[in-house]
Amino acid sequence: MNILVCIKRVPATGGKITLTPDDQSIDTRHLGFTISPHEECAVEEALRIVSRHSGGGTTVLTLGPAAAAEQLRDALAMGADRAILLETDGREWDPVATADAIVEAVRADGTPFDLLLFGNEAAGSGDYQVGIRVAHALDLPCVTGVKQLQIANGRAVAKREATGGWEIFELPLPAVLTVKEGINLPRYPSLPGRLKAKKKEIKTLQPAWHDHGLRMIRLHLPAEQEKTVQILGAGPDAAPKVVELLRQLGIV
């Protein structure tokens, strides 16, 4: 069972996002980066599937700057076998160009992948398109939003949540699936895993920049929500004010 998992380098959850003075990119000097959470679950799911089937392995791929190799090594430390970096010059690639680059890399690699896994959407940009576009270009069946997955006898049974129940899909392999956070609990990379990951080679390709599709004009941060704090007092003297506030709120 050969599985390709496409991941993305995104700012760590909880980090404060600031922009460069020209509003063209995120100022990354004080940011940490990680694998997008949905895609981290996709890596874990691939590792579990491969462990249940003899032969094959897990390949992780990302499109991004040279620094994105760090996220590939995180996936290697989890247990992935191979890594491919589609190295860019730091510009943000839209979903069309990203999907095109992945399709070209899959065809050039030559590995007969049984399954291509994506996160349902990237935490950084919220795009839901890349997995679907790759499936369309490769003429493969595709199911999105997967929360349960079973592989047997050359077929996949994928389930996604629907109002009041589940939608269940059965499709032949090879196929493309986008998975959601919660399909599993990703493992933490072990120390031996991290040491092995440092020694593994990352295959690096430079995809051609396609000047088509969406064009970014500038980035814009949403206005921060304002919060106010009112000090009612200290000690027993604050009790009457607390009671009065609860009455105003209709709680008592």
Side-chain angles (χ1 to χ4, degrees):
M1 176 69 68
N2 289 303
I3 302 179
L4 175 70
V5 186
C6 295
I7 64 176
K8 185 176 182 181
R9 176 181 187 255
V10 298
T13 304
K16 182 175 176 60
I17 303 298
T18 58
L19 303 181
T20 55
D22 60 2
D23 291 337
Q24 293 299 304
S25 61
I26 295 174
D27 188 342
T28 61
R29 289 176 296 174
H30 306 295
L31 276 180
F33 286 86
T34 186
I35 300 173
S36 190
H38 295 296
E39 294 155 8
E40 190 176 21
C41 289
V43 174
E44 175 65 30
E45 194 66 18
L47 297 175
R48 295 185 184 189
I49 293 171
V50 169
S51 69
R52 293 194 294 265
H53 295 78
S54 59
T58 299
T59 301
V60 289
L61 177 150
T62 193
L63 181 144
E70 179 183 354
Q71 281 64 53
L72 290 175
R73 294 207 183 275
D74 287 343
L76 290 171
M78 290 174 66
D81 302 287
R82 300 172 58 226
I84 301 173
L85 172 62
L86 305 182
E87 187 177 344
T88 68
D89 59 5
R91 285 182 287 185
E92 185 70 20
W93 288 45
D94 67 25
V96 178
T98 299
D100 287 347
I102 293 172
V103 169
E104 291 175 6
V106 169
R107 288 172 173 162
D109 189 71
T111 301
F113 293 113
D114 302 287
L115 199 60
L116 281 73
L117 294 182
F118 294 77
N120 197 55
E121 74 270 8
S125 57
D127 293 324
Y128 293 76
Q129 303 181 33
V130 176
I132 299 170
R133 289 183 178 277
V134 169
H136 178 75
L138 296 176
D139 195 25
L140 296 176
C142 178
V143 178
T144 61
V146 176
K147 287 293 288 285
Q148 291 186 19
L149 178 61
Q150 295 178 335
I151 305 292
N153 301 319
R155 303 186 72 82
V157 176
K159 299 181 181 180
R160 68 182 180 196
E161 292 178 317
T163 304
W166 294 87
E167 294 178 339
I168 302 175
F169 302 85
E170 183 176 349
L171 57 163
L173 300 181
V176 175
L177 301 175
T178 74
V179 306
K180 296 190 72 173
E181 187 178 9
I183 189 173
N184 55 48
L185 182 63
R187 70 194 69 183
Y188 287 103
S190 64
L191 179 58
R194 289 194 178 278
L195 294 175
K196 290 179 181 178
K198 288 184 177 181
K199 299 177 181 179
K200 288 186 177 180
E201 179 183 358
I202 294 178
K203 181 179 179 180
T204 302
L205 305 172
Q206 281 82 31
W209 169 261
H210 296 289
D211 193 15
H212 65 267
L214 299 176
R215 180 173 298 177
M216 185 184 72
I217 303 300
R218 69 183 181 91
L219 296 175
H220 175 71
L221 289 175
E224 294 186 5
Q225 294 182 347
E226 295 185 359
K227 297 181 180 180
T228 59
V229 177
Q230 181 180 357
I231 306 298
L232 298 178
D237 294 338
K241 295 181 180 180
V242 172
V243 172
E244 180 60 29
L245 179 60
L246 295 176
R247 285 174 177 167
Q248 292 176 9
L249 296 174
I251 297 176
V252 297

